[in-house]
Amino acid sequence: MTSDADRGTYPPTEEMLAQPVPAEVAKAQADRLRKVWAQPPGWTYWSAVNNTEVGVWYCLTATFFMLLAGILALLMRVQLAVPENDFLDASRYNQFFTMHGSAMMFLFAVPIFEAISILILPSLLGARDMPFPRLSAYGFWCFVIGGIFVMGSLLFDAAPDAGWFMYPPLATEYGGIGADIWLLGLSFIEVASIAAAVELIVGVLKCRPPGMRVNIMPLYAWYVLVVGGMIVFAFPPLIAGDFLFEMQRSFDWPFFDPERGGDPMLWQHLFWIFGHPEVYIIFLPSIAVTAMIVPTAARRPIVGYSWIVLSAVGTGFLSFGLWVHHMFATGLPAISLGFFSAASEAVVLPTGIQIFAFVATLMVGRVRMIHPMLWIAGALAIFVAGGLTGVMVAIVPFDWQVHDTYFIVAHLHYTIFGGMLFPVIGGIYYFYPIIAKKQLSERLGKWAFWLMFTGFNVTFLPMHLTGMQGMPRRVFTYPGDLGWNWLNMISTVGAFVMAAGILVFVYDLLRPKGKQPDPPRNPWDAGTLEWTHNVPGEAWGIRSIPYVDTRYPLWQQSKMQERIDAGRYYLPDAEEGKRETLVTSVIDAHPLHVQRVTGPAWITIWAAIFTGGAFIFPTFHWYPPAIVSAVLAVACIIYWNWTSTAVIPEKDSKDAGLGLRLPLYVSGPDAVGWWAVWITMLADATAFSSLVFAVFFYWTASAQFPPDGAQFANGGLVAAGTGLVAGSWALTAWARRDAGRGAMAALAAAMLAACAGGAVLFLALWTTDMDPTEHVYPAMMWALVIWVIVHLIAGVVLQGYCLAGLAFGKITRRHDAPLWNSLLFWHFLCLTVLVTGAMIAIAPRLMT
Amino acid sequence: MSHDKQTSDARQFAEESSSLVRITAAPLTWAGHFVLCYGAAAVWCVKWPGPIGQMAPLRIALGLATVLALAIIAWLGWRSWQQWDLLDDYDYEHEMGVGEDRHEFLGHAAFLLSIVSFVGVIFTSLPLVFAATCR
């Protein structure tokens, strides 16, 4: 490892930056960069992994699903336009409202955040690409496959129909495969969401340009960091819940069956621990877009940067204390409801602060009403109305009155349209010149806005009243003598006006713009780095990676643009013919090393197809092909890692420009891969914690858990099993230190110990008569052991990977990144196994 | 060697150069207090409620926990106030890419989060004041 002293000068001096780059040198550098980052030609285009390609596909796919879900909404509005209507029957109506909610949330709102972030985050940060382009591509293809599978079920009249929250017992008792499609299809997409979140967090923390300390990074990056963190902690409880739910549906393990000790309330808890942060997961990124547009419109830096960071971080935390406000009507103790009511009121503080900061910025700035600002203004108006009804429904007695009525439908659409859809569309108008190198029509934009804004309010404002008059949600029709008729008719008319607005927008988005001249490079006179993009477009991301020491470099650092274009800054060249970006330190963005990023590949698509098989085949109870798919998916991922990650470079370090020499290979906490493993494992540990929570939940919620006369896991075998796994962990740790010949023997022994440990833990339950279909207690114990065994298999695969790496020279003492990453996985695994041992052998004995 | 680097060294900023975690300390305290209140009330009201769901011992215990949480947050707020050091240069923008601005910014953000967390803990504990029984 090169020490700081022999890396060269940092930060660059003004004299260094002022030195011109000879024109012929600059041209040769640009040609090499262009060649390295070129898109694959012809049909191989689809193997691209660049953030600019994958991001666009991702956005368009999410928009497509949004349109489908919107059509479902229109059909429902037609059905509800008049009383006693028979346009849709009850069953189809149930499928439509379930899929409308599920698709809007899982196939549009969350993915569009990831899509837009993958698309624009690198340019906001002056990076060449995301740190793991192939992971983005893999996530995208998983999303496409899962989305088509879930939406496709509508065509076969087999779609889920138990509501977007899939409450048991309705969803567990219901016969068809709809619920399985929902559970497995959406779990698959959740995995892709977590993958994207990992990538975005690492991107913000490690891929900022040199000098961009945390106090000057774009607010969008702060929001991405917070939202990524929220995804890491909010999605896993739902994945754990899906796991329990699918075990019940497929194998009759009674997690949610009260007759055998289960409890449907557990699902509600796990669902809403995910479901409420989810609301903020879709809201914060849109507010982040607002935080980029407002300063540009006001032509001045944001007012209260620290206050907005406080808002983002504070909302991120508080949003986890709200989930029970979806369960106020379930009969929990009043004191518990009180805590959640209080937290639901408290979250208004940080949410409101950022809106005041935007208003303050507009007040003190010299506002120019650029078109995107129209959408932002509309968004703020709508969102404030939705926020205020939110304050109302956070009060328990009021909630009891309007629970499950159209009042809630109105409230949630006001928050989501104002807090998510309008800012996103404003953001698309704003960022379109960067994305497509063309501009959207301002005239059509105004049409779209006024149609949507009017249509939205005509649709949803009356719903407050419809709800107050007692119309329940999720009914496919209603009698004509309750006074709801004209309100419903108005809502239906409004829905079509709004749909017309969306059509105008989509037309503007997709219409051919070939004859339009190139737009100005920075049409809104914005101050942030993404506006250094090239027109016409270049695939290299940024010509050279600048040194940034202001919040609005284009306003505050003169000559920034010209020096970037001249290749004056870092990594202006690709002399080795590799795609590279710069990795910097977390807080101060000190340059650390040059990261080689991966290029086009088909393997990610294959990995996604087989991962899809592993999730989709079990829907039809076809387990052998599912297992084959899972094995092939793992094989693809191993191949992808082996061939393209932690590749030993041809030299130890390279000249990164401006007199800075940086290493090409790092391992451990310096490496982006290690951070990705760390964040992934946090998500994994959260899912496991949800299972542990379930055990305690059953203990508190039922009179007897474990039931009278229950058997316990064999204590001796549990001790032996956890001991073997701990031994395997210790050997892995030793192998990481040694990283030589001895490490190979240690890893081989560690693999054996892990396999033996898993088998012994299995026997600890198998040798008793604990039948998981009999009662929820044995089912829960088995669920923990299965969780551990699946993770042990992954742990053994990683050990084998490192063993092979050592044997074939992919891993050496100097190049030991896979060992570090595998050991990090094993730290978490060892802890998981120890906790599991305590949960199956000790906790039940204490609980009786 | 730049001016920036010297300031960093002089102020021993190194200790924070690998961690963003500190600004989350106050919200984490809020979260811990919240989970404790919710968990303790849930267990108490199922396992040991009196005939009419009395919970005086629970209220006292959680009241003490609230005082503790508020004290911790106040202390974190005081430390971050010192780190922000507003009265030294009246800087509340921290918009330059230098070590000092970053240092004060993290203090400023942590201070604001302490205030929100402090208010959050008070909000959370209000049901303990107003509700006398589990029902």
Side-chain angles (χ1 to χ4, degrees):
Chain A
M1 173 99 16
T2 27
S3 77
D4 242 22
D6 37 74
R7 285 183 176 189
T9 314
Y10 179 82
T13 60
E14 186 53 37
E15 300 84 77
M16 295 164 77
L17 293 173
Q19 216 169 52
V21 183
E24 67 279 14
V25 173
K27 185 177 176 309
Q29 289 177 338
D31 286 342
R32 281 192 290 268
L33 272 176
R34 204 169 279 126
K35 183 156 168 265
V36 169
W37 288 90
Q39 300 303 355
W43 64 279
T44 58
Y45 169 75
W46 297 102
S47 67
V49 297
N50 285 38
N51 74 300
T52 43
E53 310 310 307
V54 173
V56 168
W57 304 341
Y58 220 140
C59 285
L60 289 176
T61 314
T63 306
F64 172 70
F65 288 134
M66 185 268 281
L67 292 177
L68 291 185
I71 291 171
L72 296 181
L74 284 182
L75 294 173
M76 288 191 287
R77 275 319 321 168
V78 171
Q79 165 66 18
L80 293 175
V82 291
E84 313 273 8
N85 198 358
D86 60 357
F87 176 69
L88 297 174
D89 62 24
S91 154
R92 205 169 287 273
Y93 187 87
N94 292 350
Q95 294 182 32
F96 282 11
F97 77 66
T98 302
M99 290 310 294
H100 170 73
S102 304
M104 283 297 189
M105 281 296 189
F106 293 102
L107 303 181
F108 174 61
V110 175
I112 198 79
F113 150 65
E114 288 155 354
I116 293 179
S117 299
I118 286 173
L119 190 52
I120 65 170
L121 188 68
S123 49
L124 279 164
L125 299 179
R128 286 261 153 74
D129 203 329
M130 299 298 292
F132 316 108
R134 287 188 181 181
L135 188 63
S136 319
Y138 171 71
F140 165 72
W141 291 109
C142 285
F143 168 62
V144 171
I145 295 168
I148 290 174
F149 170 64
V150 174
M151 291 305 278
S153 65
L154 278 166
L155 300 176
F156 300 93
D157 199 17
D161 62 358
W164 88 283
F165 40 60
M166 282 294 128
Y167 278 176
L170 176 62
T172 42
E173 298 300 316
Y174 156 78
I177 58 167
D180 303 296
I181 290 173
W182 190 95
L183 287 163
L184 292 160
L186 296 181
S187 296
F188 177 38
I189 291 169
E190 284 149 27
V191 171
S193 291
I194 293 178
V198 167
E199 164 132 277
L200 292 171
I201 296 172
V202 177
V204 170
L205 290 178
K206 302 291 288 178
C207 298
R208 302 201 305 273
M212 189 189 273
R213 298 166 190 263
V214 285
N215 62 314
I216 59 170
M217 70 182 184
L219 285 167
Y220 190 87
W222 268 104
Y223 280 102
V224 166
L225 188 60
V226 170
V227 173
M230 290 172 71
I231 290 179
V232 165
F233 291 107
F235 275 59
L238 182 61
I239 292 177
D242 287 350
F243 166 60
L244 299 181
F245 207 130
E246 197 49 39
M247 293 308 274
Q248 169 151 0
R249 284 199 51 102
S250 297
F251 305 112
D252 194 30
W253 293 19
F255 295 108
F256 308 112
D257 176 4
E259 284 176 11
R260 287 176 285 168
D263 193 336
M265 289 291 287
L266 174 65
W267 172 259
Q268 294 201 19
H269 280 289
L270 291 177
F271 185 85
W272 290 115
I273 291 174
F274 147 79
H276 203 83
E278 152 96 351
V279 174
Y280 289 88
I281 286 170
I282 65 178
F283 161 67
L284 291 178
S286 311
I287 281 293
V289 170
T290 309
M292 301 309 289
I293 297 175
V294 163
T296 303
R299 290 186 277 186
R300 61 150 290 140
I302 194 92
V303 172
Y305 181 96
S306 309
W307 290 81
I308 291 179
V309 172
L310 141 91
S311 283
V313 178
T315 312
F317 273 90
L318 289 170
S319 68
F320 279 84
L322 314 181
W323 81 87
V324 167
H325 77 209
H326 296 267
M327 301 162 61
F328 279 167
T330 56
L332 289 172
I335 183 82
S336 305
L337 302 186
F339 294 139
F340 285 90
S341 180
S344 307
E345 302 292 354
V347 78
V348 176
L349 301 174
T351 311
I353 285 170
Q354 57 207 343
I355 291 172
F356 283 112
F358 297 147
V359 173
T361 307
L362 293 169
M363 274 175 67
V364 298
R366 293 169 295 129
V367 178
R368 184 180 29 150
M369 198 62 190
I370 55 175
H371 182 65
M373 198 52 217
L374 183 62
W375 293 88
I376 300 303
L380 292 179
I382 293 175
F383 180 75
V384 168
L388 291 176
T389 50
V391 175
M392 293 161 75
V393 293
I395 296 167
V396 179
F398 184 84
D399 181 77
W400 283 342
Q401 296 305 314
V402 295
H403 183 80
D404 255 348
T405 71
Y406 266 85
F407 188 89
I408 304 295
V409 179
H411 159 69
L412 76 93
H413 284 92
Y414 265 84
T415 53
I416 291 176
F417 268 78
M420 189 257 158
L421 190 66
F422 274 60
V424 162
I425 296 181
I428 291 172
Y429 275 96
Y430 183 72
F431 289 120
Y432 200 76
I434 298 179
I435 299 166
K437 313 298 173 191
K438 298 285 174 195
Q439 272 187 300
L440 291 172
S441 153
E442 201 168 317
R443 195 169 55 85
L444 290 174
K446 280 187 176 153
W447 271 99
F449 173 80
W450 286 110
L451 283 169
M452 277 181 72
F453 187 80
T454 314
F456 171 80
N457 283 297
V458 172
T459 310
F460 291 101
L461 197 63
M463 282 189 193
H464 292 103
L465 208 53
T466 326
M468 299 282 243
Q469 294 188 358
M471 179 163 171
R473 303 168 71 176
R474 308 187 183 98
V475 289
F476 83 107
T477 191
Y478 51 93
D481 54 359
L482 295 172
W484 305 338
N485 303 6
W486 62 280
L487 288 169
N488 273 296
M489 180 53 88
I490 293 175
S491 290
T492 300
V493 170
F496 279 89
V497 175
M498 181 163 64
I502 292 176
L503 271 187
V504 172
F505 167 68
V506 171
Y507 165 73
D508 192 15
L509 191 68
L510 300 180
R511 78 195 154 87
K513 301 179 193 66
K515 287 183 191 147
Q516 197 189 93
D518 285 342
R521 220 168 160 180
N522 186 358
W524 323 110
D525 291 325
T528 36
L529 272 186
E530 70 274 25
W531 299 102
T532 62
H533 71 127
N534 293 87
V535 178
E538 295 278 7
W540 55 44
I542 191 164
R543 173 66 179 79
S544 60
I545 299 173
Y547 174 76
V548 175
D549 59 1
T550 58
R551 280 187 189 151
Y552 298 89
L554 293 184
W555 290 343
Q556 297 164 332
Q557 281 175 268
S558 60
K559 303 194 183 148
M560 168 67 71
Q561 179 83 68
E562 131 198 359
R563 286 170 181 172
I564 288 178
D565 289 343
R568 181 63 272 170
Y569 290 113
Y570 296 103
L571 293 184
D573 199 354
E575 50 199 339
E576 300 92 357
K578 307 268 189 206
R579 294 185 175 197
E580 292 166 331
T581 195
L582 206 56
V583 173
T584 54
S585 66
V586 171
I587 299 277
D588 283 339
H590 215 79
L592 291 179
H593 71 100
V594 174
Q595 170 79 12
R596 297 232 159 121
V597 294
T598 45
W602 296 107
I603 191 70
T604 45
I605 300 182
W606 286 112
I609 289 172
F610 291 126
T611 313
F615 279 95
I616 290 170
F617 287 125
T619 317
F620 308 102
H621 299 256
W622 296 341
Y623 296 108
I627 293 168
V628 172
S629 293
V631 170
L632 288 173
V634 171
C636 288
I637 292 169
I638 290 176
Y639 173 82
W640 150 19
N641 274 275
W642 184 273
T643 50
S644 68
T645 64
V647 177
I648 297 181
E650 70 289 348
K651 57 188 175 190
D652 213 40
S653 60
K654 74 169 278 175
D655 178 9
L658 287 172
L660 200 59
R661 203 165 179 82
L662 293 175
L664 281 163
Y665 189 107
V666 293
S667 53
D670 284 342
V672 284
W674 187 90
W675 281 80
V677 173
W678 164 246
I679 296 163
T680 310
M681 293 317 291
L682 273 183
D684 186 72
T686 308
F688 175 69
S689 311
S690 305
L691 297 182
V692 173
F693 166 78
V695 176
F696 286 105
F697 176 83
Y698 287 126
W699 174 63
T700 55
S702 68
Q704 284 203 305
F705 181 91
D708 279 339
Q711 295 202 17
F712 298 114
N714 182 318
L717 287 177
V718 171
T722 45
L724 280 164
V725 173
S728 181
W729 163 76
L731 285 165
T732 313
W734 188 82
R736 206 280 297 151
R737 277 171 176 279
D738 179 78
R741 195 158 283 279
M744 289 165 66
L747 284 169
M751 289 168 76
L752 285 176
C755 292
V760 172
L761 282 171
F762 181 80
L763 288 175
L765 291 187
W766 186 254
T767 51
T768 66
D769 286 329
M770 291 167 70
D771 174 5
T773 61
E774 203 167 75
H775 189 270
V776 71
Y777 159 68
M780 204 57 237
M781 298 297 112
W782 274 109
L784 285 166
V785 168
I786 289 179
W787 183 268
V788 158
I789 288 176
V790 169
H791 282 72
L792 278 170
I793 293 172
V796 170
V797 168
L798 285 176
Q799 289 166 332
Y801 182 89
C802 291
L803 180 57
L806 285 161
F808 294 101
K810 184 173 168 61
I811 302 174
T812 65
R813 288 209 165 110
R814 163 72 186 87
H815 304 105
D816 57 351
L819 276 170
W820 277 91
N821 298 353
S822 304
L823 178 62
L824 184 57
F825 177 91
W826 266 90
H827 289 328
F828 278 90
L829 177 52
C830 187
L831 192 64
T832 302
V833 171
L834 292 177
V835 172
T836 301
M839 290 308 295
I840 61 174
I842 301 172
R845 289 180 163 91
L846 296 179
M847 283 172 175
T848 45
Chain B
M1 182 94 3
S2 70
H3 166 73
D4 169 22
K5 186 92 164 76
Q6 284 166 359
T7 329
S8 316
D9 291 345
R11 291 214 181 190
Q12 294 188 316
F13 289 160
E15 92 277 9
E16 67 190 23
S17 68
S18 64
S19 172
L20 268 176
V21 176
R22 190 171 308 166
I23 70 167
T24 64
L28 279 173
T29 312
W30 167 83
H33 174 260
F34 183 81
V35 169
L36 182 73
C37 286
Y38 169 62
V43 173
W44 179 277
C45 289
V46 171
K47 300 283 176 189
W48 310 285
I52 56 158
Q54 301 99 317
M55 48 179 204
L58 178 78
R59 289 169 81 191
I60 293 166
L62 291 181
L64 290 174
T66 303
V67 172
L68 180 68
L70 289 176
I72 292 172
I73 293 172
W75 177 73
L76 289 166
W78 171 245
R79 279 197 37 181
S80 47
W81 168 255
Q82 286 179 313
Q83 182 179 342
W84 177 11
D85 205 9
L86 175 67
L87 302 180
D88 170 48
D89 50 7
Y90 292 95
D91 177 15
Y92 48 84
E93 279 291 351
H94 328 293
E95 59 188 346
M96 298 313 296
V98 296
E100 179 169 346
D101 273 19
R102 187 260 293 124
H103 179 78
E104 293 191 359
F105 161 75
L106 287 175
H108 189 177
F111 177 72
L112 294 175
L113 280 163
S114 310
I115 295 178
V116 163
S117 308
F118 195 88
V119 176
V121 168
I122 293 176
F123 268 54
T124 305
S125 57
L126 286 179
L128 294 169
V129 177
F130 294 120
T133 71
C134 289
R135 296 162 203 170

